[in-house]
Amino acid sequence: MKHILACAALCVVTLLGGCVGAPIYRGLDAATGDFVSTSSPTVSVKAAEGYANVLSGYTLCRVPYENSFMNSVSANVWFSLQEREGSQLAVMLAECPTGLIWEVRAVGVEYQRLKVFYESNGVGPNDATVRVYVRPASMDPWTPLFLGAGKTAWQGDTLVARYEWTSTTQKDKLVVEYREPAPELLAGMNPRVTDISAFIARSQKAFTLEGVTEPVSPVARVGVGISDSLLAPVVGSVSTNQIILF
């Protein structure tokens, strides 16, 4: 990943010896319970203690080109969902077609139309772009999957801390959502700054990015149908990979 590989590579040197030529795997590691990608990028997302895996799978999603309602392309999306009492994690890795790129910006994504309570554009080599906002229940692609897996998910809106990275080629995008039930607020009111700060602190403790220890124990690939109208605004839009010559 653009920011992830700087830290993950240190782990890869010692953990991935002998894996050259191995098939690329993206999805849940049955042995560790982590969401992993074994190449491009090589990274694992490890949930904090107490989180239990609910569902993992793969889907194709039609995402917009730029902010167009007319032009769209198919992107590969791998995901995993985890929960513990009072919170959830949704991890998603999206890959766009050759010649196109992801950009971490408010174009073609849901928070373009929602009130963002906190935003941080990381400057360090491993920093994420972080946004905190409330996602209305009618726009959430993950709650129906939690419910479909027999879990008792909340029915209302969700307070989301979205952590986002792209790869060095910008062909891959990793998104980790930390999720809690949205607080009840009067119309037009914002959560208290102290409440948002506490929420962000909890989100930071909910997962870590690490290297990948081989051999990975893949789970059977499960195709999951998710509405494009729900998932595409979470994934975001693509743009053209234009090379500027000077």
Side-chain angles (χ1 to χ4, degrees), residues 34-118:
D34 303 337
F35 180 90
V36 302
S37 171
T38 61
S39 180
S40 186
T42 302
V43 67
S44 67
V45 181
K46 179 179 290 295
E49 185 177 355
Y51 279 95
N53 284 303
V54 173
L55 178 68
S56 64
Y58 163 85
T59 190
L60 274 174
C61 180
R62 298 290 300 183
V63 299
Y65 175 80
E66 290 292 345
N67 222 10
S68 172
F69 291 102
M70 302 297 295
N71 298 324
S72 62
V73 299
S74 290
N76 296 302
V77 179
W78 296 264
F79 70 91
S80 70
L81 305 178
Q82 297 167 299
E83 68 167 6
R84 71 180 180 190
E85 186 176 359
S87 66
Q88 301 168 342
L89 283 176
V91 181
M92 177 188 74
L93 177 65
E95 177 187 65
C96 66
T98 301
L100 300 174
I101 61 173
W102 302 111
E103 295 185 77
V104 181
R105 59 191 178 118
V107 175
V109 285
E110 58 183 357
Y111 52 78
Q112 181 183 8
R113 305 185 301 274
L114 300 173
K115 181 180 291 187
V116 175
F117 304 122
Y118 172 85

Side-chain angles (χ1 to χ4, degrees), residues 106-215:
V107 175
V109 285
E110 58 183 357
Y111 52 78
Q112 181 183 8
R113 305 185 301 274
L114 300 173
K115 181 180 291 187
V116 175
F117 304 122
Y118 172 85
E119 182 173 356
S120 173
N121 298 302
V123 295
N126 305 307
D127 293 344
T129 296
V130 186
R131 291 180 175 89
V132 174
Y133 54 92
V134 170
R135 178 183 295 147
S138 60
M139 296 173 59
D140 190 15
W142 307 126
T143 294
L145 298 184
F146 278 102
L147 293 173
K151 300 301 178 179
T152 307
W154 53 85
Q155 300 287 334
D157 300 342
T158 299
L159 183 61
V160 174
R162 175 187 174 106
Y163 292 78
E164 187 172 4
W165 303 260
T166 60
S167 64
T168 52
T169 63
Q170 294 182 275
K171 186 179 179 181
D172 306 283
K173 175 192 288 190
L174 178 67
V175 176
V176 180
E177 287 184 14
Y178 175 79
R179 301 157 50 86
E180 292 183 5
E184 294 185 7
L185 299 171
L186 296 175
M189 297 294 290
N190 293 339
R192 294 182 302 177
V193 173
T194 53
D195 292 339
I196 291 296
S197 297
F199 173 73
I200 293 170
R202 292 193 296 274
S203 73
Q204 292 171 340
K205 296 176 182 178
F207 70 95
T208 55
L209 299 181
E210 301 183 4
V212 179
T213 304
E214 292 280 359

